């Protein structure tokens, strides 16, 4: 039987249901159905006594008989109750759909032995079982039913009469049609043995119909490992190939510019972590290899400065450098920072974004870049456009916040015969296992130390009703000469209401602090107006800045010591952490105040708690990944993962990611030419996977 047979040929499916399966779940072939794994199993081999039941049990089964029926309540609350006993105790079975009462009474007879299956519920302090499944006790062989699979279905499927039970029937039929023992294993036998992995066919069957929970666990393990393993094998194969074929510019000297900056102009001592990271990069860039490095570090840990100094090394060796930021505002901010740091040095820094308009402005920059007189070019991805030509581009720094994919990075080094070194900086720390997958082709450097003298920011949670005590706290800080940010969320979907919120908040602050000066900045203002207001705050003329998240990537005001985040429940963890990073840049104690409404979901409560407990961006990133799953990480493109994950989860299966990576490395060590016979099926499978996805091998 061919697993690529269209699903419509599976008995019981037919053209109409096939259409629904395709539309809702993307299932078109037998194979797709095979890989549509249940999200859970319920043990149907175990019977409970009524006295054992508790309300928090997900599902239970009881054997017994119905003593009598009774109807209760009126109108929509009308219900049918069956008093059911296991011989020792009593429990009520309950139905609410009035039209079915007659049929139920006729089908389930008083005094007959039944097995009742359902989810216990509490009503008036007593446990009952609403809408149970009921089977005659002599028709069920519980010992053989074992773990019953449950499949996710959509609302539309349910309307078309397809529920979990239907999918179960389909997969049941499928396994009578295909012989999983004949499935060709593609993982090498030695690997299966070493890692105690169950064979492919068995794992697929056990994922749907395991005989024991141990069999299910082993099957899950095998499939998860396999998914992560092929992703790692792909990345590492590509990376090794690139390292062999691609040479890098050799930056052999650390010259005048670097040394002058370091000794004469750097206003502070580098942290140990900054020094270590610069050393790591110098080593890469001097080696003849092309550097591809990911620089991670918390907000304010000094990544930008490290990037600048690395660029000076490129300049010292006669090369140009380029910095790409994800937004124009960020590019501009980098430009200002760089100009300031380098103002007394013979280095020409230029900015090229969409906002730099007109031939008169752009032409000299483009010409200078082509001639090599522009040493550092800062911009958005506009610098990737073909009109931008460098004379000798030696280093590209990408300040990316997850926005540039592998393919975009690859475009950089198509322009030159010898590609530039590449440094990717992430503003939001990424958990290690996610980095290994999204940026698995990069080496990683970490700045795990903040510049000295920074006091950890104190984070507190306030209910919005308690504005008086919040205002008291703000006043205390302002009287010490400090400044305060008050931030409101703003998203497109609710823009009008969000702006109204901000306006109301602004007016309330004006009333509460009639003696103070308050700035207001939001996206609807003209950018010239915005600049004026921002400037006032930067110069300390206004004490409070009320703003939407535009300031997330905006100003740097060391004198601001309080960050008040209104409607904090509407921000993600990563965003909250970014915003908090705006204060705490000076030496004084800083505060972050998270203001929320009183009623919060469990998850939001946890988010707020984590924020109050830790300042560590890596810890926050881990938590964020757990809450949201890697697919919804802010700004993260799931396209960064080469192949679909059916069952593995980058958040929960971190240890497996590491094992998969180590194993892939070992295989590549043993079989660098990819021609060992015992691995042939594995390489063929990798090629098959790549056919359906990006062909990474073409990228370099
Ligand atoms: P990041 O890019 O990681 O957010 P930045 O490079 O912007 O961090 O640094 C944050 C602030 O700390 C900047 O004002 C920068 O000048 C300053 N800074 C960077 N490194 C040090 C250091 N070693 N000692 C003191 N201040 C530093
Ligand atoms: Mg920065």
């Amino acid at each position: 039987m061919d697993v690529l047979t269209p699903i419509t040929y599976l008995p019981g499916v037919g053209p109409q249901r096939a259409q629904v399966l395709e539309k809702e779940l993307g299932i078109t072939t037998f194979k797709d159905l095979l890989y549509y794994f249940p999200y859970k199993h319920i043990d149907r081999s175990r019977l409970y006594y009524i006295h054992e039941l508790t309300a928090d049990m997900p599902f239970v089964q009881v054997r017994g008989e119905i003593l009598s029926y009774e109807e209760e309540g009126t109108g929509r609350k009308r219900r049918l109750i069956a008093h059911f006993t296991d011989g020792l105790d009593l429990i009520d079975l309950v139905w609410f759909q009035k039209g079915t009462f007659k049929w139920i009474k006729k089908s389930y007879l008083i005094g007959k032995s039944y097995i009742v299956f359902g989810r216990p519920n509490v009503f008036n302090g007593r446990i009952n079982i609403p809408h149970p499944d009921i089977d005659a006790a002599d028709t069920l062989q519980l010992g053989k039913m074992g773990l019953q699979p449950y499949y996710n279905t959509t609302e539309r499927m349910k309307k078309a009469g397809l529920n979990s039970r239907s999918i179960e029937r389909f997969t049941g039929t499928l396994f009578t049609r295909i012989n999983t023992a004949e499935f060709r294993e593609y993982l090498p036998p030695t690997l299966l043995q070493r890692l105690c992995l169950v064979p492919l066919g068995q794992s697929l069957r056990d994922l749907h119909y395991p005989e024991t929970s141990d069999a299910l666990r082993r099957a899950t393990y095998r499939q998860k490992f396999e998914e992560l393993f092929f992703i790692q094998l792909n990345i590492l194969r590509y990376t090794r190939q690139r390292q062999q074929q691609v040479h890098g510019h050799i930056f052999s000297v650390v010259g005048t510019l670097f040394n002058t900056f370091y000794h004469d102009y750097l206003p502070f001592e580098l942290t140990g972590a900054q020094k270590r990271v610069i050393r790591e990069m110098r080593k890469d860039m001097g080696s003849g290899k092309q550097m591809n490095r990911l620089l991670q570090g918390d907000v304010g840990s000094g990544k930008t400065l490290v990037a600048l100094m690395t660029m000076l090394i490129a300049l010292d060796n006669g090369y140009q450098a380029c910095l790409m930021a994800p937004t124009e505002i960020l590019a501009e901010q980098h430009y200002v920072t760089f100009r300031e740091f380098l103002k007394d040095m013979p280095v020409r820094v230029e900015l090229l974004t969409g906002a730099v308009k007109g031939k008169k402005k752009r032409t000299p920059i483009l010409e200078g870049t082509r001639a090599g007189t522009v040493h550092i070019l800062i911009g958005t991805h506009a610098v990737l456009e073909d009109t931008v030509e460098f004379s000798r581009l030696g280093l590209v720094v990408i300040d990316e916040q997850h926005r540039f994919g592998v393919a975009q990075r690859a475009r950089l080094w198509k322009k030159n015969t010898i590609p530039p070194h590449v440094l990717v900086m992430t503003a939001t720390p990424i958990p290690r296992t996610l980095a290994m997958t999204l940026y698995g082709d990069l080496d990683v450097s970490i700045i795990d130390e903040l510049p000295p003298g920074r006091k950890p920011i104190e984070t507190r949670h306030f209910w919005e009703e308690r504005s008086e005590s919040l205002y008291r706290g703000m006043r205390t800080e302002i009287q010490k000469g400090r400044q305060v940010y008050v931030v409101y969320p703003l998203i497109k979907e609710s823009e009008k209401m969000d702006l109204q919120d901000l306006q109301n908040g602004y007016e309330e602050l004006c009333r509460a602090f009639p003696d103070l000066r308050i700035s207001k900045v939001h996206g609807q203002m003209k950018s010239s107006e915005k600049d004026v207001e921002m400037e006032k705050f930067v110069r300390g003329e206004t004490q409070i800045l009320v703003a939407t998240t535009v300031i997330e990537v905006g100003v740097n005001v060391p004198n601001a010591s309080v960050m008040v985040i209104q409607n904090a429940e509407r921000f993600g963890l990563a965003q909250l952490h970014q915003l908090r990073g705006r204060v705490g840049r000076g030496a004084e104690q800083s505060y972050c105040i998270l203001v929320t409404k009183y009623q919060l979901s469990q998850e939001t409560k946890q988010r707020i708690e984590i924020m109050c407990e830790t300042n560590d961006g890596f810890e926050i990133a881990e938590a964020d990944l757990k809450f949201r799953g890697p697919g919804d990480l802010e700004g993260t493109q799931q396209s960064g993962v080469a192949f679909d994950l059916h069952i593995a989860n980058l958040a929960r299966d971190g240890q497996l990611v590491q094992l998969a990576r180590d194993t892939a490395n070992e295989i590549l060590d043993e079989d660098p030419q990819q021609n060992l016979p015992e691995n042939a099926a594995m390489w063929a499978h990798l090629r098959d996977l790549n056919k359906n996805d990006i062909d990474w091998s073409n990228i370099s």
Side-chain angles (χ1 to χ4, degrees), residues 299-300 303-304 330 333-334 399 425 427 582 585:
V299 203
K303 295 182 295 293
T304 311
L330 262 180
Q333 203 201 336
H334 281 313
D399 185 5
M425 297 196 290
R582 290 284 121 202
R585 304 221 155 188

Side-chain angles (χ1 to χ4, degrees), residues 326-340:
T327 65
E328 290 189 359
I329 300 176
L330 262 180
E332 236 174 88
Q333 203 201 336
H334 281 313
Y335 174 69
V336 171
T337 308
F338 274 50
R339 287 289 283 249
E340 176 61 26

